[in-house]
Amino acid sequence: MFKLDLSNAAPFLPEDWLSSRAAALEKARAMLEAGNGPGGDFTGWVHLPRDYDKEEFARIQTAAERIRRDSEALVVIGIGGSYLGARAVVEVLNSPNFNLTRKGGPAIYFAGCGLSSDGLTEVIDQVRDKEFSVNVISKSGTTTEPAVAFRIFKALLEEKYGKEGARKRIYATTDVKRGALKGLADAEGYEEFVVPDAVGGRYSVLTAVGLLPIACAGIDITALMGGAAAAMEELAKPGTDNPAWQYAAARHGLYCAGKKVELLACYEPSFRFFAEWWKQLYGESEGKDGKGLFPASVEFTADLHSMGQYIQQGERVMFETVVRFAKSQREIEIPNDPDNVDGLNFLAGKSLSFVAEKAFQGVVLAHVDGGVPNVILTVEQRDARTLGALIYFFEYACGLSGYLLEVNPFDQPGVEAYKNNMYALLGKPGYEDRRKELEARLG
Ligand code: PA5
């Protein structure tokens, strides 16, 4: 389904970059398989494409059909791992302009992924006069951004449909037992979906967290899971010909060689949120204990006209991982112009994809010449099955990478620091001492 090409990274690596890591990779593979490495309690995603809850999966499909029938808009409320995966899949498989280009089904709006008053008001303006439903997603059920957004949308729904009508339009995806959202969903009688205990937010796209919104967008979630299951089978096989082993080893080798930044590049605007999902996956999994590649992303060719200068000649601290879709979904040809005032007739009759292909080839050569190793991942199809496989590939390689780096790839203790300060400054009960201390510092 995809091909990993390391020939433009290998010259920057020692000859034994892969063989010298084979033993560590085998150890990482075994820990992921058995769930007995650091953070092993959160490796439920490893076998998820095979072991997922089939009854819940059927409920997700039924709920999605209902939402597609009775709603012109769906508001997906969640932050971080509770929304990025769904948005990534919807945009790659449909379009970043999904709400304008969709054929049937609800428009999908994402809310609760920030604290912008203007952002939230805009979503309210878009949906308030439409038939709409809400999918609120929070594993902990206590995250401030989605909790605040949900309170606002719940009130809006109740005002519009009454309490009983609103109840039928709210779908809650949360922990099976714990958290404020679980308590609220039980009390109000919302339809509930589960974020499994053993799956952390950034690995949760193939649970109800991602699957319900994705199905509401009309995407075939059976194919998505099928692709992930095929990748799971393939990538579980030990050996240095395993592409996840190769990707993890190459990243680690480049990191050890002084490349501290990994740029995920793609030539498709629809890939933007996939890159956002990938950044969270790798950033949260590896960035700890003073270690870790900094994951960043660029969209080519647009960013060649903004970040291209730095990539070519700035600090030599980065490498690129280029995700290349082998085929465009639709072709457009450059027309002939008898006057040729713009001098472009040498391209007449060529497709835009041909021009993009030549740009890609030129960029790889230029960046490699400029000291930027390139890892190239060619993806054959842009469909649900292939995307499921790609998601699993990045998740699995991330688990391996974290263990190669000797960190716990499944926790995120650093995220709490800002939350505690914000709670204290907002006057949350229980944070009184910290509030005094912080306010004294703020002067
Ligand atoms: O990966 C993670 O753990 C985070 O990004 C969480 O998904 C994010 O903070 C949202 O958390 P919750 O789903 O508990 O609201």
Side-chain angles (χ1 to χ4, degrees), residues 79-82 137-141 143 146 201-202 280 284 412 419:
I79 195 164
S82 287
I137 308 169
S138 177
K139 181 172 180 173
S140 63
T143 309
R202 59 189 175 275
Q280 186 200 357
E284 247 182 21
Q412 56 284 331
K419 285 189 193 167

Side-chain angles (χ1 to χ4, degrees), residues 164-322:
E164 183 54 21
R167 184 184 70 75
K168 293 193 187 123
R169 288 180 169 271
I170 296 174
Y171 301 83
T173 307
T174 189
D175 189 89
V176 73
K177 308 192 270 296
R178 285 176 295 268
L181 180 57
K182 171 68 184 160
L184 186 62
D186 284 352
E188 301 277 351
Y190 304 147
E191 173 146 21
E192 293 180 34
F193 297 97
V194 171
V195 194
D197 270 348
V199 181
R202 59 189 175 275
Y203 291 86
S204 68
V205 54
L206 299 175
T207 70
V209 170
L211 294 178
L212 180 57
I214 291 169
C216 287
I219 292 165
D220 181 351
I221 57 172
T222 306
L224 191 76
M225 292 305 276
M232 181 190 84
E233 294 273 316
E234 226 19 64
L235 300 177
K237 295 177 190 157
T240 49
D241 54 351
N242 180 319
W245 282 40
Q246 292 177 358
Y247 178 51
R251 304 175 72 250
H252 188 250
L254 291 166
Y255 178 68
C256 295
K259 304 296 184 189
K260 305 293 185 199
V261 177
E262 179 176 10
L263 282 179
L264 191 74
C266 187
Y267 286 71
E268 295 298 332
S270 63
F271 197 73
R272 177 178 159 209
F273 269 88
F274 196 96
E276 295 301 320
W277 169 82
W278 173 90
K279 284 194 276 193
Q280 186 200 357
L281 181 64
Y282 279 81
E284 247 182 21
S285 298
E286 293 189 304
K288 51 197 72 161
D289 306 340
K291 297 192 266 193
L293 278 160
F294 182 80
S297 62
V298 280
E299 183 197 313
F300 289 164
T301 59
D303 286 337
L304 291 169
H305 299 260
S306 56
M307 298 302 290
Q309 171 59 37
Y310 193 104
I311 298 170
Q312 192 67 44
Q313 292 182 328
E315 284 266 8
R316 301 299 71 198
V317 291
M318 59 183 69
F319 70 95
E320 285 171 323
T321 296
V322 186

